[in-house]
Amino acid sequence: VGTYIVFGLVSGVIYGLVALGIVLVYKGSRVFNFAQGEFGTVAMYILFWLHEMQSVNYALAALVAILVAVAMGLVTERLVVRPLSSAPKVIALVGTAGVALMAIGIQFVIAKPQPRGVSPAFRGAGLSLFGFIVSKQDFLALGMLIVIAAGAALFFQRTYLGMGILANSQDSVATRIVGANANRISLLTWGIAGLLGGIAGVLLAPNATLVPGFMTTGLLITAFAAAVLGGMTSLVGAFVAGAMIGLIEAIGNFIISRNPALEVVPDATIPLVFVVLILTLLVRPQGLFGSEA
Amino acid sequence: LAVLAAGRQVGRAGLIARGLVLAAIGLPLLIYPAAAEETGAALYAKAVVFAIIGLSLNILMGYAGQISLGHNAFVGVGAFAAGYLFTNSGVPMFISILLAMVIGGVTASFLGAVALRLQGLYLALVTLAYGLVAERSIFEIEPLTGGGAGTPLARPDPFASDNLFAYVCLAFLAAVLFLDWRMMKTKFGRALLALKSNEQVASSFGMNPVFYKLSAFVLAGSIAGLGGGLLGFSQELVVSQDFTFSIALTYVIMVVIGGLGSRIGVVIGSVFTAYLITILEGIGRFLDRPSMPEILQDFGGAMPLFRISLTALLLLVTITQFPGGVAQQLKPVITWLSGKPFPRHEKRHHVKEEAFAGTEDAQPGETGARGERE
């Protein structure tokens, strides 16, 4: 069981990172961002192209990949989210889903459907955690998530910009009246979302079989389940719930491995996560740590 | 037609003119499936089924102000259910199609009961999640769906001809259109629109928002299941690749292109989308031939994938630039055909606000002005 649990926690960290991006956008603009996964997949492809095909230095390739994801977030805001700012939130949500689909289509055309792989940032043996071997890549992901979650929490509570983002999400008109630039705040929110998506993509890349739309079909729903379970507005919640869902998946995988009869259902962890999402919405729709703002 | 015009100020000449235009549009559409070759009729049937699916989504998006991003799953459940019942259990064709409709409604009632107590975004999330679960897991369960090979459904004898089956689909489309039209004239239809305009006001008049939204969602799920059953029989094979996330967004886009809430617009948008997919695939096959230059061959080979981006682009351009869709552009023509004078000097108004007015969180002021106009 132990190996399953450690693996579950490590994948939970990535869910948490994607969920963090979703929560940020929701806090900042009250939109469900279905393009969050694709910010990551695009970063993965850029990393693959630069590092594996053009043999660019890993750190530089990763940096460029993350910057491209940020640019994608900014373009999404300018071309899709802002024109829809007076439309219903459901239409804005359809817009983000459209962005995701468009990114997937472009990946299909440019990168072709065959699966690809990226080598890890650090080679060599993994380190020991509670007696289990965890790769350096996974430690890096864990460390990054803790730093980012703490940084984001400080940003929202201690800086004018962070408070401006929150104020804008609660009452955009009032925010403009007191002199804040709502457009710039919205742009900033989506830039940060792109940044988080890009980081998640780069960190996950070595553990992933890269196919077009990978982060949307494979991760987005899990990350959303984590965001909802964490309360949609809580940064800590996204982090904790991501790890919890990673654990639930691990336990599910363990049970499946003991009962071959269950293997008739392919990708059985996806329905499992779906059940978690439904149960959360039924029993505690405000999530574990949910609150306004 | 005479009935339609009765009570409206249309002269004899106007009546004849409108009759001629309607006949010029309608008759070729009615005759085409009988005259066309099998492939043409099959494509026609597919377009008609798309129209049924579009209308089902329109009940949700156009009338109830909700959205389903998992319509691929509702249609797919209908298709696989019809396939399983027909091929594995020997249930007759029409009964399988009707049972597919029931099953679509039952799944919708379950999901809706969970998600509709919360704000609209959660229905989008739950349906999207359901769509992905269906795509990745449920539709791949070998004993139920035949896994990658899919479920075959060979139509029984009189309907084996694509030409005749196109008329079967057309009859179902007519039934759905009629149901939709009558429904919107009842208390139920008016309550839906009222809730969409302003939920607080409507519920203070005693309308239960959850009940009406849930009913609309169940209705949309049933009609999607019906569309799935018909789609299965029209293709005679159901495979899971037909029901991916990209097709769910294609369904959304055909409703948005057509114009939310407009029956005729949605039918036009759906038919256009069905043909567009086939035409793009045809262009792809045409370019991807040895006699073509290599670069065009590559482009042709990538066409089925390129289609995904194109659909997404069309969706984004429509919602940000032309939110009223085709229906907005055709409005004067439709007004004229329904027996009113051609509106020459339509007042310019904020198209964007009109199209979105009353969806979930629009301002009350916008909707008031809209209600007076018609």
Side-chain angles (χ1 to χ4, degrees), chain A residues 204-245:
Chain A
L204 183 61
N207 294 346
T209 317
L210 189 48
V211 287
F214 170 77
M215 302 258 297
T216 297
T217 51
L219 239 86
L220 187 72
I221 288 309
T222 319
F224 256 105
V228 169
L229 181 62
M232 242 13 250
T233 50
S234 165
L235 301 169
V236 184
F239 180 81
V240 175
M244 279 174 65
I245 288 189

Side-chain angles (χ1 to χ4, degrees), chain A residues 26 30-32 34 79-80 83-84 86-91 93-102 104-106 108-109 112-113 216-218 220-221 224-225 228 232 264-268 270-271 274 277-278 281-283 285, chain B residues 61 65-67 69 110-111 113-115 117-122 124-126 128-130 132-133 135-137 140-143 245-246 249-250 252 260 302 305-306 308-309 311-313 315-316 319-321 352 356 359-361:
Chain A
Y26 186 73
R30 301 283 139 170
V31 173
F32 277 17
F34 285 161
L79 294 186
V80 179
L84 292 176
S86 63
K89 297 295 181 220
V90 170
I91 299 291
L93 173 154
V94 173
T96 65
V99 170
L101 188 64
M102 189 146 161
I104 294 174
I106 292 172
F108 264 124
V109 171
K112 307 285 179 286
T216 297
T217 51
L220 187 72
I221 288 309
F224 256 105
V228 169
M232 242 13 250
V264 73
V265 181
D267 285 324
I270 301 179
F274 183 63
L277 175 69
I278 294 285
L281 292 178
L282 269 181
V283 178
Chain B
M61 291 178 69
Q66 302 290 318
I67 194 169
L69 291 177
F110 171 69
L111 291 182
V114 173
R117 301 177 307 142
L118 308 162
Q119 48 161 318
L121 296 176
Y122 286 93
L125 173 60
V126 167
L128 175 71
Y130 175 58
L132 280 178
V133 169
E135 176 190 342
R136 293 277 300 270
S137 271
E140 300 285 342
I141 301 176
E142 186 127 17
F245 171 57
S246 93
L249 271 193
T250 307
V252 170
L260 294 175
L305 306 171
F306 178 67
I308 299 176
S309 301
T311 328
L313 185 67
L315 174 71
L316 292 175
I319 59 174
T320 54
Q321 307 300 323
K352 199 176 263 183
F356 287 144
T359 352
E360 185 98 357
D361 45 13

Side-chain angles (χ1 to χ4, degrees), chain B residues 23-289:
Chain B
I25 300 171
L27 279 182
L29 288 179
L30 277 178
I31 295 169
Y32 177 78
E37 292 169 26
E38 290 264 303
T39 48
L43 179 56
Y44 182 94
K46 186 181 171 190
V48 169
V49 172
F50 264 52
I52 293 176
I53 298 168
L55 285 169
S56 100
L57 200 52
N58 182 46
I59 293 175
L60 212 53
M61 291 178 69
Y63 302 152
Q66 302 290 318
I67 194 169
S68 160
L69 291 177
H71 242 53
N72 58 331
F74 291 108
V75 175
V77 162
F80 279 115
Y84 188 85
L85 289 168
F86 178 77
T87 307
N88 296 10
S89 314
V91 178
M93 181 173 89
F94 282 104
I95 298 179
S96 315
I97 292 176
L98 292 178
L99 284 175
M101 190 169 160
V102 172
I103 291 169
V106 170
T107 41
S109 66
F110 171 69
L111 291 182
V114 173
L116 281 168
R117 301 177 307 142
L118 308 162
Q119 48 161 318
L121 296 176
Y122 286 93
L123 185 70
L125 173 60
V126 167
T127 51
L128 175 71
Y130 175 58
L132 280 178
V133 169
E135 176 190 342
R136 293 277 300 270
S137 271
I138 301 175
F139 293 163
E140 300 285 342
I141 301 176
E142 186 127 17
L144 288 179
T145 66
T151 310
L153 311 79
R155 285 194 298 264
D157 206 6
F159 300 102
S161 132
D162 283 318
N163 304 63
L164 186 56
F165 194 73
Y167 281 109
V168 172
C169 295
L170 202 58
F172 273 105
L173 173 63
V176 170
L177 273 171
F178 180 76
L179 183 85
D180 188 306
W181 176 55
R182 289 319 305 164
M183 181 186 81
M184 293 319 286
K185 302 280 180 212
T186 62
K187 178 188 165 202
F188 180 79
R190 286 194 302 271
L192 273 185
L193 292 179
L195 279 166
K196 189 181 111 176
S197 309
N198 192 326
E199 187 168 324
Q200 273 148 344
V201 171
S203 48
S204 75
F205 277 95
M207 297 164 192
N208 178 352
V210 176
F211 168 78
Y212 282 106
K213 283 187 205 164
L214 186 58
S215 310
F217 189 51
V218 171
L219 196 60
S222 320
I223 298 177
L226 168 71
L230 287 172
L231 191 67
F233 278 107
S234 78
Q235 298 177 343
E236 300 198 90
L237 175 68
V238 192
V239 286
S240 60
Q241 285 95 318
D242 284 343
F243 306 105
T244 57
F245 171 57
S246 93
I247 202 75
L249 271 193
T250 307
Y251 294 151
V252 170
I253 193 204
M254 64 196 195
V255 176
V256 173
I257 290 184
L260 294 175
S262 158
R263 226 167 280 126
I264 300 171
V266 167
V267 170
I268 295 174
S270 310
V271 169
F272 167 78
T273 309
Y275 274 91
L276 180 73
I277 291 175
T278 313
I279 289 170
L280 286 179
E281 279 167 359
I283 293 175
R285 271 195 302 276
F286 176 75
L287 291 179
D288 192 11
R289 285 186 311 186

